[in-house]
Amino acid sequence: MASTASRRLKALSNTVAASRSLSTSTSSTLAPHAQAAADKLTQQNWKGTSFSGGTTKNFINGEFVESKSTKWHDITDPSTQTVLSRVPETTDAEFEEAVESSKKAFEGWSKTSVLTRQKVAMELQALLRQHSDAVASSIVLEQGKTIGDAHGDVLRGLQVVETACGIAGNLMGDKLEVSKDMDTYTRRVPLGVCASVAPFNFPAMIPLWTIPLATCTGNTLILKPSERDPGAAMIIAELAQRAGLPPGVLNVVHGAAGTVNNICDHPAIKAISFVGGDKAGAHIYNRGTKNGKRVQANLGAKNHAIVMSDCNKNLALNSIIGAAFGAAGQRCMALSVVVLVGPAHGWIPDIVERAKQLKVSGGFEQGADLGPVISPFAKKRIEGLIESVVEEGGKIHLDGRNLVVKGYEHGNFVGPTVIECTTTMRAYQEEIFGPVLVTIRADTLDDALAIVNANKYGNGAAIFTQSGATARKFESEVNVGQIGINVPIPVPLPQFSWSGNKGSFLGDIAFYGKSGLNFYTQNKTVTSLWRAEDAIGNKASVDMPTHS
């Protein structure tokens, strides 16, 4: 199993390398708004990253250090292919140094009071608000999101930090006097050195899912951001340092398959949190658990929206358009399939008309609704899946291929695309991860539910209806983890927990919320006996001793 997974991860790494080869083949320069943002970030002198052709650093033991690696990858602006920075493959020696730093830091950090750890979270949330423009701008430059969507990326991560500020009450254990003078009580204690492997599509949010919860519970954390867009994570690491996080509590390393394998294999690392694609996630889960680690892995998705003809049509259409095409469809909770029930079959032209109104452009451009996809390889794959619809007998109602955006002629742009197909076609069965909305017809609600439940993925689904009874049936019978009723992207706030299921998740303990606390802690149960009659220091006697 492990050797097969290793081959898969190597293939994935080769794919990434191929995409970079494509992405750097064209010489270009940043657009004016992007150049202004890059210049501003450069003037702010962030220690761990560069937006002017420099290098991304390792962050080890509280220091931003230049890697001695001989393997480097270009980080490019997806809108223009301009090289922004270079990121290393952290060497084995550097990785070992990061682990040793985390181990040493754990000895002191795990004994630090929860109030002290909580204070660091409070300082971090304040610094993130103060510097949210910088983090968001780095996301637009490296990942391609619109500036509004990038701020949303930061905000959803910030909400987890804010929740961690109240962690003291959530770490309380239980106590019961089980017999006379005998107590049994539980304590939540940290695991040790943990690791987080983050994806390219949420460069700020996913690191912020893990950093506050791992550290506030007393663990130390090794973070590996995506090698495609590590800038946001490096800024966050510097802000965590400013917030008072001691050296070694957070370390940041870089790379692809080699670094991931080091994380999976190192005996000092007790737990791994991963968000990303199916192949890498399965590899990390299998290899990590084989080595005795606790692993949570969020994988691919195919989220459905069921549209009933009795719904608020305007709300439904606007919600679907936003959830399908926002972030260029590069969200694990994107609504990528709409199941039109009964008379709603006739709404496809309305969907197409609204999709046509979306503006595709660089992320800093005013009014831009969606930007480019992450790489030329991703663009080519998306366009291939669109073409497969025609080959398999489906329909393309709106074709976003061959889109050229003025001023961004070398960008990885795919326009909003609306296709109609059946559940046997590739475009339905595979996660497209692009601005493509699949439409499917169903005669009844039961037929629609059967389609959703038969899909291998289970992150989320939504229904649009004005009927409480219909909503209740949907909620009760749909087999996915996160359910929206007239809500298109039902990602729970951090007071709750992520709850994707089926083929979208591997592991037993989910992300953030109460589940996140459980993931980063283990229980100690103590039973103690202190007999009251054995107490010393009883009240002194003043009577004349008789020695009897």
Side-chain angles (χ1 to χ4, degrees):
M1 176 71 75
S3 61
T4 300
S6 296
R7 289 195 297 271
R8 288 176 176 173
L9 193 65
K10 184 176 180 181
L12 183 65
S13 182
N14 291 338
T15 294
V16 171
S19 76
R20 289 198 191 92
S21 177
L22 282 167
S23 69
T24 56
S25 62
T26 303
S27 176
S28 188
T29 57
L30 293 173
H33 293 305
Q35 187 63 61
D39 291 343
K40 185 175 181 179
L41 287 167
T42 301
Q43 291 165 8
Q44 292 170 346
N45 196 29
W46 296 102
K47 298 176 183 178
T49 188
S50 171
F51 301 94
S52 58
T55 59
T56 300
K57 309 296 191 291
N58 291 321
F59 182 57
I60 300 176
N61 202 36
E63 300 288 337
F64 292 95
V65 291
E66 191 77 56
S67 176
K68 296 179 181 178
S69 179
T70 58
K71 298 179 181 178
W72 294 76
H73 305 290
D74 289 342
I75 301 169
T76 59
D77 165 28
S79 296
T80 62
Q81 315 309 335
T82 304
V83 176
L84 300 166
S85 180
R86 300 175 70 235
V87 63
E89 292 267 356
T90 296
T91 67
D92 290 345
E94 291 164 350
F95 182 82
E96 187 63 35
E97 185 181 353
V99 175
E100 288 301 313
S101 169
S102 294
K103 287 170 59 181
K104 184 177 180 181
F106 178 73
E107 295 173 6
W109 183 246
S110 60
K111 297 178 176 65
T112 303
S113 75
V114 67
L115 296 179
T116 298
R117 302 195 300 258
Q118 181 179 259
K119 183 180 178 182
V120 173
M122 292 177 179
E123 294 292 337
L124 178 58
Q125 68 87 21
L127 288 167
L128 281 166
R129 288 192 178 279
Q130 182 182 345
H131 297 284
S132 61
D133 285 344
V135 182
S137 292
S138 75
I139 294 171
V140 179
L141 286 166
E142 293 184 348
Q143 200 273 346
K145 291 186 180 184
T146 63
I147 188 64
D149 195 37
H151 273 287
D153 189 329
V154 179
L155 178 62
R156 289 310 296 263
L158 178 61
Q159 290 169 345
V160 179
V161 183
E162 291 171 338
T163 302
C165 292
I167 201 167
N170 292 323
L171 288 177
M172 290 169 58
D174 301 307
K175 185 174 182 177
L176 178 67
E177 186 176 4
V178 295
S179 184
K180 185 177 185 299
D181 296 335
M182 180 179 288
D183 301 315
T184 297
Y185 59 94
T186 59
R187 294 173 52 208
R188 286 182 181 268
V189 297
L191 304 177
V193 181
C194 301
S196 174
V197 180
F200 76 83
N201 58 321
F202 284 103
M205 185 182 78
I206 302 303
L208 291 173
W209 276 11
T210 56
I211 293 171
L213 290 184
T215 58
C216 282
T217 50
N219 300 282
T220 55
L221 184 70
I222 297 173
L223 171 66
K224 192 205 84 67
S226 171
E227 65 277 13
R228 297 173 180 179
D229 50 8
M234 301 312 297
I235 294 174
I236 290 169
E238 185 169 342
L239 295 179
Q241 183 183 50
R242 294 184 195 177
L245 210 59
V249 175
L250 174 64
N251 290 291
V252 185
V253 297
H254 302 287
T259 306
V260 167
N261 286 337
N262 283 339
I263 289 172
C264 292
D265 295 343
H266 202 291
I269 295 175
K270 304 302 181 184
I272 306 171
S273 180
F274 169 82
V275 177
D278 288 357
K279 291 181 180 179
H283 171 84
I284 290 169
Y285 180 80
N286 291 328
R287 189 160 179 160
T289 54
K290 182 180 179 181
N291 288 322
K293 304 183 192 308
R294 181 180 289 182
V295 182
Q296 55 180 193
N298 191 56
L299 311 180
K302 202 76 174 180
N303 306 303
H304 297 65
I306 294 176
V307 178
M308 308 301 293
S309 60
D310 71 332
C311 72
N312 180 324
K313 183 177 179 180
N314 186 59
L315 170 66
L317 294 181
N318 284 340
S319 298
I320 291 164
I321 294 298
F325 301 120
Q330 297 173 121
R331 293 172 177 156
C332 60
M333 282 297 290
L335 271 184
S336 53
V337 182
V338 58
V339 184
L340 301 167
V341 180
H345 293 173
W347 295 1
I348 291 178
D350 301 283
I351 294 173
V352 169
E353 189 57 36
R354 296 194 187 208
K356 285 180 178 179
Q357 296 172 14
L358 297 177
K359 179 180 178 180
V360 183
S361 191
F364 290 107
E365 297 296 335
Q366 186 174 4
D369 294 303
L370 62 152
V373 296
I374 189 65
S375 68
F377 179 84
K379 176 182 177 179
K380 183 178 180 181
R381 178 182 174 277
I382 292 164
E383 291 181 338
L385 283 166
I386 296 171
E387 179 61 29
S388 73
V389 174
V390 177
E391 296 169 353
E392 294 180 289
K395 297 178 182 179
I396 300 176
H397 294 283
L398 178 64
D399 194 344
R401 294 176 294 174
N402 304 314
L403 176 68
V404 177
V405 178
K406 186 176 181 181
Y408 295 94
E409 287 78 8
H410 300 303
N412 310 321
F413 292 99
V414 179
T417 299
V418 180
I419 61 179
E420 185 176 355
C421 61
T422 65
T423 58
T424 61
M425 297 180 184
R426 280 184 61 207
Y428 174 79
Q429 294 183 342
E430 297 183 25
E431 183 181 34
I432 299 176
F433 223 60
V436 181
L437 177 62
V438 176
T439 65
I440 291 182
R441 298 174 181 240
D443 292 330
T444 66
L445 175 60
D446 286 332
D447 294 334
L449 281 165
I451 290 169
V452 178
N453 291 341
N455 192 274
K456 69 177 181 177
Y457 292 116
N459 256 356
I463 191 168
F464 291 90
T465 180
Q466 302 255 38
S467 166
T470 298
R472 187 69 172 181
K473 177 181 174 68
F474 171 76
E475 175 191 344
S476 299
E477 297 184 15
V478 71
N479 185 15
V480 299
Q482 293 161 139
I483 298 168
I485 298 173
N486 298 318
V487 175
I489 305 180
V491 177
L493 290 170
Q495 295 88 343
F496 299 90
S497 298
W498 184 269
S499 54
N501 63 25
K502 295 196 301 190
S504 294
F505 184 76
L506 289 173
D508 299 308
I509 311 175
F511 299 88
Y512 63 79
K514 292 180 181 179
S515 292
L517 291 177
N518 290 335
F519 182 79
Y520 285 112
T521 59
Q522 55 191 346
N523 285 344
K524 277 188 176 180
T525 304
V526 181
T527 301
S528 64
L529 174 63
W530 297 107
R531 296 182 186 276
E533 58 263 32
D534 294 339
I536 59 174
N538 293 324
K539 183 178 180 180
S541 173
V542 295
D543 295 337
M544 176 68 73
T546 61
H547 304 293
S548 57

